[in-house]
Structures are given as C-alpha cells and as structure tokens.
Amino acid sequence: MSRIGRMPIALPPGVEVTQEGTLIRVRGPLGVLEREIHPEMSIERGDDALRVVRPTDEPRHRALHGLTRTLVANMVTGVTTGFTKALEISGVGYRAQLQGTKLVLALGYSHPVEVSPPDGITFQLETPTKVAVFGADKELVGQTAAYIRARRKPEPYKGKGIRYAGEQILRKAGKAGKVGGGK
C-alpha cells in the first residue's frame, strides 16, 4: 500500500470538510478551498481525521491514492497555516514595491512591471529585493511565484533576475580572451 496514501490526514480544530460527490470543500480560518477528486477514490471520515481509500491495487489506483491524499492534506494545511513562496531579486536597480495590493517591479526594462495578485494571494515585502507570495492554495501560490519569476529569469553570467529563495543559479564563465596576444 502507498506509504503516503495510507497516512491519515489530521483535522485541526476549526477546520470543516464537506464532500458532495467528487467535490471536496475544506473550510478553515484562512478561507475555503474546493477541489474535484478522482471519482474512483473515496474519502472516509473518522474522528478528527480523514483517510483516502482506493478500490484496487492497480498501479493507476496506487498512483491516484498518494496524489489524492497529498492534495487533500495540502488543502487542510492551506486553510490553517497557508503557504509561502519566497523570491529574491538581484541586479543593480532591480527592486519591488507594493502599490496597494499590486506588486510593482523595476527589472531593468524601460517600464515598471505590474503584477496583480489573483484572489486569495497576497504579496509581502521584507526588503525591496525580497518578495513573499502568500496564500491558502499551494498550487496557486507556486503558479503566482513562477509567473513573477518569469518576468525576468536569472541569467547565467551575472545572476541578475528573480529567483526562488535558496535557488542555485549555474553560472557560466564570461569571454575568455586570446591566449598569447597574437596579431
């Protein structure tokens, strides 16, 4: 049996889970998340925990078992604590600032780049070069962070651009001059 799929999902106090057919709705302090689960997977509710049950040991069902359990667990975590994805901006003159809820980025272009947050996402600035994307939906947080990073990906020569916190950029050597200085 799937090691991940068989683990129960603990329900913290203040979290309500309702199921209508294949639609799972999780309500908590940070909002409400909904997701359609695969119709062949079923969710059993115990005392303060959920379990995902698969119909057979087919490879397809085993794969869906762990996936479904992880998706539902991420929904529960999202409505209780939320998810954060940190981004770092590096480069001379590259910076970010908040205008209301909108993120305005100076990335070396002739114009500022504005990013409006989708519903359920907020931007936080620690410094003008450190941005955090926060929200309850893990998938949407990652997608928004990837969208911001795509505005100016880190380049391999000087490392300028937007990268995830802790991301290693493979650096390339610059031009190697002629050896021997021939004519």
Side-chain angles (χ1 to χ4, degrees):
M1 181 170 259
S2 166
R3 289 187 192 146
I4 293 180
R6 71 176 169 217
M7 291 169 30
I9 303 164
L11 291 178
V15 174
E16 297 174 28
V17 177
T18 56
Q19 184 175 5
E20 299 164 7
T22 59
L23 180 75
I24 298 288
R25 184 174 291 121
V26 181
R27 183 182 311 272
L30 293 180
V32 179
L33 293 177
E34 294 180 346
R35 178 178 287 278
E36 290 278 338
I37 62 167
H38 197 276
E40 295 177 11
M41 295 291 119
S42 62
I43 295 181
E44 293 177 351
R45 186 176 183 124
D47 41 319
D48 297 335
L50 297 174
R51 293 184 72 83
V52 178
V53 180
R54 67 179 182 217
T56 66
D57 270 349
E58 264 180 54
R60 186 171 61 93
H61 288 150
R62 291 200 318 250
L64 284 171
H65 191 208
L67 171 71
T68 305
R69 189 256 174 219
T70 301
L71 292 174
V72 174
N74 284 343
M75 291 169 66
V76 171
T77 304
V79 297
T80 53
T81 59
F83 293 98
T84 303
K85 193 80 168 168
L87 298 165
E88 296 171 348
I89 302 171
S90 59
V92 177
Y94 288 18
R95 64 185 171 281
Q97 63 186 44
L98 284 174
Q99 287 181 355
T101 59
K102 217 183 306 185
L103 185 67
V104 180
L105 302 165
L107 299 173
Y109 297 120
S110 61
H111 58 282
V113 178
E114 294 183 355
V115 179
S116 297
D119 290 339
I121 297 292
T122 56
F123 299 127
Q124 301 162 344
L125 282 180
E126 297 172 33
T127 66
T129 58
K130 293 192 180 189
V131 178
V133 180
F134 178 80
D137 187 350
K138 186 174 187 177
E139 192 175 334
L140 189 58
V141 167
Q143 193 173 2
T144 305
Y147 177 80
I148 293 170
R149 181 181 183 272
R151 299 307 99 205
R152 178 71 92 168
K153 288 183 183 172
E155 54 96 14
Y157 296 100
K158 293 183 180 176
K160 297 188 330 182
I162 302 173
R163 65 173 177 250
Y164 298 118
E167 180 183 6
Q168 296 292 317
I169 304 300
L170 289 176
R171 302 290 293 272
K172 291 184 178 179
K175 289 184 190 175
K178 283 188 176 180
V179 178
K183 290 188 177 181

